[in-house]
Amino acid sequence: MAHGFEAEIPLAFTEEVKAKTDHLYPLVEKFVPRLEWELNAPIIARINDLKAEKNAVILAHNYMTPDIFFAVGDFRGDSLALAREAAETDAQMIIQAGVHFMAETSKILAPEKTVLIPSLEAGCSLASSITGADVRLLKERYPGIPVVTYVNTTADVKAETDICCTSSNAVQVVEHICAEWGTDSVILIPDQYLAKNVAAMTDKKVITWAGSCEVHEQFTPEDIREMRAGNPGVIVLAHPECPPDVLAEADFAGSTAAMSGYVKDNQPKHVVLITECSMSDNVAAENPNVNFVRPCNLCPHMKRITLEGILRCLETGEHEVTVDEDIRIKALAAVQRMIDLPKLGSVSNFAVGKTGDVVAVEHR
Ligand code: 13P
Ligand code: SF4
């Protein structure tokens, strides 16, 4: 295995490694063959030792592969839960097992901590769709209208924003900021589909941006109809980054945490999660009586995070994520306003069977 730093890794599956890792295997055994596990276990053991030595925690997003999610992740969840955890943890170092905007959000909330990301290439098509300068132009075009920014954006964009939201709280945030500003319009950027799905749930006029998630935009209503035809009785759960005509065909829509909560609470016989592939594996591991139909799309950015990369982070201190202090202070105000809203738990904000529309989709 070419890690480039083999000398420091006890590559053999020794008795010591076995003793340190065997209790973790049952959580991933459905997805990781034993042979592969024995190759990875030395890395997992080393990561867990180094976390203790360096007072580090790993924040693992729901889209991480099961070996990362269960064997080395300390906190697991959707982007809102991970942001809350970054603000609250006592650890001195945060390893973000997720994409770059999530690491930036951690740094914005925890500037005194060292935040590392295993791959600088773990981006996001939504985050790269818009810049701070684009938001400044939007504000000139629509004066007096509050700007709500999805957390899937860079710190520069958050710094131009009145309040952030995630897919866990987007409708709540829009209602809150419109009431505070006394407006009936809102700018909700950069995900045009999330914005349309929010518009279905509110009477506010929504102006959005022509961004989209390269993973969720690929799902179509025909995909869902074919899944239902091939799997009678299947329950369809969809992420609100999917286009509205896809949500209209689903039984339930919500953030990654809300979908996971739905499966846990309802224990459907057959379910399909219209979202990133690893999510089904992670939810399946904790719900052994539920059968998962598994058409899904991989997020290439999330998949850049690997066990080897996480170990390299801990060994070398690469790649540290920093945010310019002026930008951080402004972005913090927007993120903190969101964090301070009451917790909704793993409930859905979104309607199914109903499509909404926005009043404008702006672009550069
Ligand atoms: P959640 O906030 O639902 O975890 O989604 C983050 C994300 O990137 C989905 O594609
Ligand atoms: Fe971004 Fe989509 Fe990947 Fe989530 S799944 S990180 S929104 S590209």
Side-chain angles (χ1 to χ4, degrees), residues 7 93 156 202 216:
M93 183 183 278
D156 281 8
T202 170
H216 291 93

Side-chain angles (χ1 to χ4, degrees), residues 2 18 23 71 81 144-145 158 163 230-231 280 301 347:
K18 184 172 167 24
H23 66 289
I145 300 187
K158 291 185 175 77
I163 186 166
N231 304 276
S280 294
H301 306 288
V347 299

